[in-house]
């Protein structure tokens, strides 16, 4: 591992490279915050993939790529006379110090648990903002729906608004299943969509309460479906057939083969 001084020098090298690129590279020079925003989103997903795959070498690389983007935004802000990278770093440092009084403030040294910190997190943030900003206001509307639902539930929990017992959530899930079933008997598609949304929201809430990341869980199920469908496709092609030649029962039989082969691996 590198020393603190080596880390400082590495960050300084990145700043020097960014300074040079903005002046000497035509592509870098013409970029704006808006033009690199989409690229940044891609980098976030690539970092997430590397973490899910457990590839630490790739994770180190993707962190570097994302850090480069952060320095890029700060350099543009500096050119506009709005802020520079030191402002960004100091802002997050000030925020972290304020939000962790058990580490940096008058409560330093006080015994506390991770659950106690998480349960009061949103209240601490509200105090930091002077109580003027609504709790849900910081959740981007453009955030993917599953992550948005989870973020809302976490923020509500941080204000003490949560189920007293996690087991109680299943009554809510069953209630929503019943409402979806009832709505499906009508021709009102807008109402059905709303009820499906309520059901999905309740299931995400249940996953959260049981310590399961719903995004990761859905990802695993999606990848499992991909593997099994690919097996179905390959077996069909191997027999010189295509899907229209197979009955649903035949497809199900091959699907069961895929399931059994996974269990044997």
């Amino acid at each position: 591992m590198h020393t603190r001084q080596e880390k400082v020098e590495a960050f300084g090298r990145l700043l020097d490279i960014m300074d040079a690129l903005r002046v000497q590279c035509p592509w870098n020079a013409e970029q704006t915050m808006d033009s690199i925003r989409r690229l940044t989103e891609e980098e976030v997903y690539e970092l997430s993939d590397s973490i899910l795959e457990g590839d630490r070498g790739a994770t180190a690389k993707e962190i570097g790529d994302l850090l480069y983007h952060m320095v890029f935004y700060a350099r543009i802000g500096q050119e506009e006379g709005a802020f520079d990278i030191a402002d960004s770093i100091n802002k997050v440092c000030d925020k972290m110090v304020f939000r962790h009084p058990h580490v940096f403030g008058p409560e330093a040294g006080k015994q506390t648990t991770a659950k106690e910190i998480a349960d009061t997190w949103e209240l601490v943030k509200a105090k930091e903002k002077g109580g003027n900003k609504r709790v849900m206001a910081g959740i981007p509307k453009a955030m993917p729906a599953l992550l948005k639902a989870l973020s809302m539930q976490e923020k509500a929990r941080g204000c003490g608004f949560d189920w007293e017992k996690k087991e109680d959530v299943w009554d809510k899930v069953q209630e929503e299943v019943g409402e979806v079933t009832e709505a499906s008997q009508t021709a009102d598609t807008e109402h059905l969509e709303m009820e499906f949304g309520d059901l999905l929201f309740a299931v995400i809430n249940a996953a959260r309460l049981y310590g399961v990341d719903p995004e990761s869980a859905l990802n695993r199920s999606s990848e499992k479906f991909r593997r099994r469908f690919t097996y179905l496709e390959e077996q069909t092609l191997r027999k010189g057939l295509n899907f229209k030649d197979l009955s649903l029962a035949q497809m199900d039989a091959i699907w069961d083969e895929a399931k059994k082969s996974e269990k044997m691996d």
Side-chain angles (χ1 to χ4, degrees):
M1 292 294 106
H2 296 86
T3 65
R4 183 184 182 88
Q5 181 58 36
E6 288 172 332
K7 294 173 186 176
V8 171
E9 290 174 357
F11 189 69
R13 182 187 176 205
L14 177 59
L15 294 178
D16 290 341
I17 289 172
M18 175 54 66
D19 290 343
L21 289 175
R22 281 295 281 183
V23 174
Q24 301 175 38
C25 173
W27 185 89
N28 280 271
E30 70 179 18
Q31 299 310 305
T32 65
M33 289 193 187
D34 189 62
S35 71
I36 61 174
R37 179 184 57 78
R38 179 184 57 79
L39 300 177
T40 305
E41 291 174 352
E42 291 180 9
E43 294 297 349
V44 171
Y45 284 116
E46 288 176 7
L47 172 60
S48 181
D49 278 351
S50 73
I51 293 171
L52 288 173
E53 292 167 4
D55 187 337
R56 290 296 179 258
T59 298
K61 172 187 172 298
E62 298 302 341
I63 288 174
D65 290 346
L66 195 54
L67 184 58
Y68 173 80
H69 278 244
M70 300 305 102
V71 169
F72 209 150
Y73 288 116
R75 168 68 193 209
I76 295 172
Q78 176 181 317
E79 293 168 3
E80 295 173 347
F83 66 92
D84 63 19
I85 191 65
D87 293 312
S88 298
I89 293 173
N90 284 325
K91 283 181 182 297
V92 72
C93 287
D94 291 343
K95 180 165 64 176
M96 289 301 104
V97 168
F98 184 90
R99 292 184 184 180
H100 295 81
H102 55 287
V103 177
F104 303 106
E107 300 175 22
K110 178 183 175 182
Q111 291 294 321
T112 188
T113 66
K115 184 178 185 304
E116 289 171 339
I117 295 168
D119 288 346
T120 59
W121 186 250
E122 293 303 326
L123 297 178
V124 172
K125 288 170 65 176
K127 181 180 177 182
E128 174 192 3
K129 296 176 173 64
N132 296 322
K133 190 172 182 179
R134 296 294 178 262
V135 172
M136 298 294 169
I139 301 176
K141 293 181 180 179
M143 181 184 287
L146 191 155
L147 297 179
K148 185 193 298 185
L150 182 61
S151 181
M152 288 179 172
Q153 293 164 4
E154 290 286 4
K155 285 182 176 293
R157 178 178 70 91
C159 294
F161 186 73
D162 204 3
W163 299 90
E164 290 187 5
K165 296 186 298 181
K166 63 183 180 182
E167 294 81 7
D168 293 341
V169 74
W170 296 118
D171 289 335
K172 183 62 176 176
V173 171
Q174 291 301 323
E175 176 189 327
E176 298 299 348
V177 169
E179 292 181 2
V180 168
T181 303
E182 182 179 332
S184 69
Q185 307 304 312
T186 73
D188 190 341
T189 55
E190 185 175 344
H191 179 58
L192 180 59
E193 179 181 292
M194 182 184 72
E195 295 301 345
F196 264 114
D198 290 346
L199 174 57
L200 291 169
F201 194 88
V203 170
I204 291 169
N205 216 354
R208 175 186 64 84
L209 288 165
Y210 279 83
V212 172
D213 177 0
E215 176 73 15
S216 177
L218 183 57
N219 229 354
R220 292 182 67 175
S221 291
S222 296
E223 288 304 313
K224 179 169 62 178
F225 184 88
R226 187 207 301 271
R227 290 193 304 272
R228 292 177 180 177
F229 193 86
T230 299
Y231 181 91
L232 168 61
E233 189 175 24
E234 290 174 347
Q235 292 301 312
T236 302
L237 292 172
R238 187 170 292 134
K239 296 174 182 178
L241 304 172
N242 55 47
F243 288 137
K244 69 180 178 61
D245 298 319
L246 299 177
S247 66
L248 183 57
Q250 289 173 309
M251 289 185 184
D252 282 340
I254 299 174
W255 188 267
D256 288 338
E257 287 178 15
K259 292 168 65 175
K260 291 177 181 176
S261 68
E262 283 190 352
K263 291 178 181 177
M264 290 187 292
D265 288 342

